[in-house]
Amino acid sequence: PEPSPKEGGEDSSSADNSTKETNNSPFLGRRVGSEVLSNIGALLQLHCIETQLYLQHDLNLLQLSKAIGTNRFYLSQYFSSQDTTYNAYINNLRIDHFVTLYRDAVAAQRSVTAQQLAQESGFCNYRTFSNAFKCKMGQSVTSWIKGQERPKVE
């Protein structure tokens, strides 16, 4: 008879095939220490934010973890400890970039579209940008832009 999965056999129904990198990892079942998490925050600042790596359209968790010199497990644990996800983290950086680009364009009196700025901010499509923007800012892109056009009352 074949050994059961507990005895060392393979369970073909498990999702472990997609995470081979961590199957034999010493990280399984462990929590990442606060010192390591703090270091990851500093690495993200240096290698993702300051270099604007988040503007790369096809950036994924594995690429980001390699860029900062850690692994996917530690990076995922970091995001979890910050009550966020990889996608939310990257989208928030991109939205902040969009806001900066928009305000710079208005200050320079340049005509731009939200679609153009969304693409320059790292978003592949406008729908993803629009949904992420509304989630972060609490309003649609159109409403936010209209609110930016109003003169400020002092």
Side-chain angles (χ1 to χ4, degrees):
E2 293 185 347
S4 71
K6 290 181 184 176
E7 295 171 337
E10 301 229 356
D11 179 3
S12 61
S13 66
S14 75
D16 289 345
N17 294 336
S18 65
T19 57
K20 282 200 183 277
E21 128 179 319
T22 58
N23 282 351
N24 297 321
S25 171
F27 307 124
L28 286 178
R30 293 191 184 171
R31 300 287 299 161
V32 180
S34 60
E35 188 175 317
V36 171
L37 293 179
S38 175
N39 190 41
I40 289 174
L43 290 169
L44 284 169
Q45 178 67 39
L46 183 65
H47 298 292
C48 181
I49 297 172
E50 291 179 12
T51 65
Q52 296 186 325
L53 180 64
Y54 58 88
L55 297 178
Q56 182 179 317
H57 289 102
D58 60 350
L59 183 66
N60 62 39
L61 181 67
L62 180 59
Q63 290 168 329
L64 180 57
S65 65
K66 286 181 178 181
I68 69 169
T70 191
N71 61 52
R72 291 185 319 181
F73 174 79
Y74 280 178
L75 190 53
S76 292
Q77 287 292 310
Y78 171 79
F79 290 134
S80 183
S81 77
Q82 302 298 305
D83 293 323
T84 193
T85 64
Y86 163 78
N87 285 333
Y89 175 80
I90 294 298
N91 286 344
N92 284 338
L93 291 174
R94 290 173 175 173
I95 291 164
D96 290 345
H97 190 81
F98 171 90
V99 168
T100 299
L101 290 178
Y102 177 81
R103 289 183 174 153
D104 289 349
V106 168
Q109 298 180 341
R110 276 186 291 120
S111 178
V112 294
T113 66
Q115 290 87 347
Q116 175 188 356
L117 296 181
Q119 186 169 12
E120 289 177 29
S121 299
F123 287 95
C124 290
N125 68 63
Y126 191 77
R127 176 175 283 151
T128 301
F129 162 72
S130 181
N131 290 338
F133 189 94
K134 190 168 188 174
C135 184
K136 177 179 169 95
M137 305 297 275
Q139 59 186 326
S140 71
V141 179
T142 305
S143 295
W144 181 84
I145 288 174
K146 285 180 182 174
Q148 299 299 301
E149 294 170 355
R150 291 189 191 125
K152 300 215 178 347
V153 179
E154 293 184 26

